Amino acid sequence: MDVAVDDQAVSEIFRVLDLTGVLANAVLGGVIARRERLDPIGFVVLATLTGLGGGLIRDTLLQAGPPVALTDPTYLLTALAGAAIAYVVRVEGRAWDGTWPVVDAVALGCWASVGAQRTLDVGLGWLPAILLGTITATGGGLVRDVVLRRVPGILGGGTLYATSAIAAAGTQVTATAVGYPVAGSLVALAVGAGLVLLARRRGWMLPD
Amino acid sequence: MDVAVDDQAVSEIFRVLDLTGVLANAVLGGVIARRERLDPIGFVVLATLTGLGGGLIRDTLLQAGPPVALTDPTYLLTALAGAAIAYVVRVEGRAWDGTWPVVDAVALGCWASVGAQRTLDVGLGWLPAILLGTITATGGGLVRDVVLRRVPGILGGGTLYATSAIAAAGTQVTATAVGYPVAGSLVALAVGAGLVLLARRRGWMLPD
Amino acid sequence: MDVAVDDQAVSEIFRVLDLTGVLANAVLGGVIARRERLDPIGFVVLATLTGLGGGLIRDTLLQAGPPVALTDPTYLLTALAGAAIAYVVRVEGRAWDGTWPVVDAVALGCWASVGAQRTLDVGLGWLPAILLGTITATGGGLVRDVVLRRVPGILGGGTLYATSAIAAAGTQVTATAVGYPVAGSLVALAVGAGLVLLARRRGWMLPD
């Protein structure tokens, strides 16, 4: 038991971080839609795919009921809000360039942790938990890139993005195995987010 | 209650329209396969994706049992018939050019309405119902375009295709909310099909 | 009843062939990753998609619980082993060129047979069984090609690959219909693998 941690508070924190990640990634989808000169539907498609795609793939593979993104309306509304923001505001410049990487890193750690835990909760093992944690964190970007006919960033050339998700999901799995799922999720989040930021700052990449 | 409308008759009409849409879209998939000089397997793949893809994605996300396209053999047989027609007959010329837009518009309205209602029947809310209605109507073409490495038409540049699906699904959701799901489905169909045809005729598009 | 065949032994044989197919296809995914100069994550992504993609799509569509690739850890471990082999060893030269086509052909027959039978076991009909048998055998390669932005091989130009899967799945369905599912799976495997090898050797292709 996680006696040292307030479970309810951590769960609340993760929900906020999760939705912040959806919003930020939906805005990113919209920013890409603007760059590609798409119409409003294009904004919605890219924002939804980027913000919710990873979770949708995870929940579809888990087969434990309809995806959270469909049962909890907050997710879809948040993704649509992201699309609207990117459509109305020209999201660029220093504020975005300074904020986005941090929000993105936190979202990655949060999603990897949540995805791994949800897989364990359904009764699957540690290996699928790491896989689905990683898919939760990176799947949306992958699908968006495929739809846009780009080489998906996850295939290489980036700075430890998937690797950080694997590390975060692995931390979550380990923490749950030793009996501290809730406290562990905070550590997993920190590991994932920290590694993404460090790798980006220092240009760390995997060797070919 | 829909006292003014014969539920059974409407349900029968929708099944016919639904399958007509599958056939027409499967033929379209086959026409594209011919243009790309694919072999018979290519015809079947593109016909199946175009005719059944949207419903398959919807049912996979809903997680309420295997997709209708797999449990009701009529769907697969219809899609295969479409592939066969496009393979044997050179589907082109005035008859096709005159018929296709109308059949396509009716299919869009029908699929959006059916997809939205099915989502509501599973117990999900109005927002996922509109999303899945739209995916039912446009998902097959999206997947086909991605497999063919084209920029999916839904991302922009078309004439209110996804917008019409959203309008039809929204009409269905509204009609069900006020207690007229069956009569409403006829209105939703008319809204979706009418908007597609109007937009195509007048060249209406969304602004960038 | 299959009185003439030892069910347990056949089931054991199929498991070994199935996993051999996963390994060989995962190695192929890794070989492609090396050719594209991807980093280790790229190896894992392509190996997993190629080795497990078809089964994942099948199980997701069947909606009869989480995919086997997630519930049985042997599958994921085998796919990762394939990625690791392709990363460490330069898999090329005569040994690979001689072995790969045979292993690939056996995997195709095995996957088509297993996929068709699993669909029947869930209670679906012969047509979806043939479709999902074919998807099991060819879906991984299709998804991998789409992610890599290649024209999927299944769309045409190849030598009876999907056709052989259809033949194997059809054999399995027929054998089950006449009451010999287990003995039939050996025939289905032989039909699928034999046809792939024959077609490759003789350059058989479908007409446009």
Side-chain angles (χ1 to χ4, degrees):
Chain A
M1 270 175 284
D2 285 284
V3 284
V5 187
D6 183 339
D7 289 25
Q8 190 60 41
V10 171
S11 155
E12 219 26 69
I13 292 172
F14 264 79
R15 190 177 154 79
V16 170
L17 293 179
D18 192 357
L19 287 169
T20 309
V22 171
L23 185 71
N25 274 281
V27 170
L28 175 66
V31 168
I32 295 174
R34 178 188 291 276
R35 230 177 272 148
E36 307 261 335
R37 306 182 153 278
L38 303 181
D39 67 18
I41 296 291
F43 275 71
V44 170
V45 171
L46 292 190
T48 311
L49 284 179
T50 311
L52 303 176
L56 283 171
I57 297 174
R58 176 200 64 209
D59 289 343
T60 302
L61 288 174
L62 283 180
Q63 306 234 358
V68 176
L70 298 182
T71 55
D72 181 342
T74 322
Y75 284 88
L76 261 177
L77 289 171
T78 305
L80 293 177
I85 291 171
Y87 188 73
V88 174
V89 187
R90 181 174 286 274
V91 183
E92 265 169 298
R94 266 207 288 177
W96 170 256
D97 290 348
T99 318
W100 158 252
V102 177
V103 176
D104 179 46
V106 171
L108 175 132
C110 171
W111 288 358
S113 160
V114 168
Q117 189 58 45
R118 206 168 133 73
T119 306
L120 295 174
D121 289 344
V122 167
L124 293 173
W126 63 271
L127 195 53
I130 293 178
L131 178 72
L132 290 184
T134 308
I135 287 177
T136 308
T138 64
L142 173 68
V143 173
R144 182 202 59 221
D145 288 344
V146 167
V147 167
L148 285 172
R149 301 188 307 166
R150 298 173 171 194
V151 177
I154 194 183
L155 285 182
T159 50
L160 300 196
Y161 204 76
T163 308
S164 305
I166 293 171
T171 305
Q172 180 67 42
V173 167
T174 308
T176 301
V178 299
Y180 294 92
V182 181
S185 65
L186 296 172
V187 181
L189 172 59
V191 166
L195 199 48
V196 167
L197 288 172
L198 253 174
R200 189 170 290 164
R201 191 147 308 167
R202 310 228 168 152
W204 286 344
M205 296 172 66
L206 292 179
D208 282 355
Chain B
M1 271 174 283
D2 284 286
V3 284
V5 186
D6 182 340
D7 289 24
Q8 191 61 41
V10 171
S11 156
E12 220 25 69
I13 292 171
F14 263 80
R15 192 177 152 78
V16 170
L17 293 179
D18 191 358
L19 288 168
T20 308
V22 171
L23 185 70
N25 274 281
V27 169
L28 175 67
V31 167
I32 295 174
R34 179 188 291 277
R35 228 179 274 150
E36 306 261 334
R37 305 182 153 279
L38 302 181
D39 67 18
I41 297 291
F43 276 71
V44 170
V45 171
L46 292 191
T48 310
L49 285 179
T50 312
L52 303 176
L56 284 171
I57 297 174
R58 177 200 64 210
D59 289 344
T60 302
L61 288 174
L62 283 180
Q63 307 237 356
V68 175
L70 298 183
T71 54
D72 181 343
T74 321
Y75 283 88
L76 260 177
L77 290 171
T78 305
L80 293 178
I85 291 171
Y87 188 73
V88 174
V89 187
R90 182 174 284 275
V91 183
E92 264 168 300
R94 265 206 289 177
W96 171 255
D97 291 348
T99 319
W100 158 251
V102 177
V103 175
D104 180 44
V106 171
L108 175 132
C110 171
W111 287 358
S113 160
V114 168
Q117 188 57 46
R118 205 168 134 73
T119 306
L120 295 174
D121 289 345
V122 168
L124 293 172
W126 63 272
L127 195 53
I130 292 177
L131 179 71
L132 290 184
T134 309
I135 287 177
T136 308
T138 63
L142 173 69
V143 173
R144 181 202 61 220
D145 289 344
V146 167
V147 168
L148 285 172
R149 302 187 308 166
R150 298 172 172 196
V151 176
I154 194 183
L155 286 182
T159 49
L160 300 196
Y161 204 75
T163 309
S164 305
I166 293 171
T171 305
Q172 179 68 41
V173 167
T174 309
T176 300
V178 298
Y180 296 92
V182 181
S185 64
L186 295 172
V187 181
L189 172 58
V191 165
L195 198 48
V196 167
L197 288 173
L198 253 175
R200 190 170 289 164
R201 193 146 308 168
R202 312 228 167 152
W204 286 344
M205 296 171 66
L206 293 180
D208 282 356
Chain C
M1 270 175 284
D2 285 283
V3 284
V5 188
D6 182 340
D7 289 25
Q8 191 60 41
V10 171
S11 155
E12 219 27 67
I13 291 171
F14 265 79
R15 191 177 153 78
V16 170
L17 293 179
D18 191 358
L19 287 168
T20 309
V22 171
L23 185 70
N25 274 281
V27 170
L28 175 67
V31 168
I32 296 174
R34 179 188 291 275
R35 228 178 274 149
E36 307 262 334
R37 305 182 154 278
L38 302 181
D39 67 18
I41 297 290
F43 276 71
V44 169
V45 171
L46 292 191
T48 309
L49 284 179
T50 311
L52 303 176
L56 284 171
I57 297 174
R58 176 200 64 209
D59 290 344
T60 302
L61 287 174
L62 283 181
Q63 305 235 358
V68 175
L70 298 182
T71 54
D72 180 343
T74 322
Y75 283 88
L76 260 177
L77 289 171
T78 304
L80 293 177
I85 290 172
Y87 187 73
V88 174
V89 188
R90 181 174 284 275
V91 182
E92 266 168 299
R94 265 206 288 177
W96 171 256
D97 291 348
T99 317
W100 158 251
V102 178
V103 175
D104 180 46
V106 171
L108 175 131
C110 171
W111 287 358
S113 160
V114 168
Q117 189 58 47
R118 205 168 135 72
T119 306
L120 294 174
D121 289 344
V122 168
L124 293 173
W126 63 272
L127 195 53
I130 292 178
L131 179 73
L132 290 184
T134 308
I135 287 177
T136 308
T138 64
L142 173 69
V143 173
R144 182 202 59 219
D145 289 343
V146 167
V147 168
L148 284 173
R149 300 187 309 165
R150 298 173 171 193
V151 177
I154 194 184
L155 286 182
T159 49
L160 301 195
Y161 204 75
T163 308
S164 304
I166 292 171
T171 305
Q172 180 67 41
V173 167
T174 309
T176 300
V178 298
Y180 294 93
V182 181
S185 65
L186 295 172
V187 181
L189 172 58
V191 165
L195 199 48
V196 167
L197 289 173
L198 252 174
R200 189 169 291 163
R201 193 147 307 168
R202 311 227 167 151
W204 286 345
M205 296 172 66
L206 292 180
D208 281 357

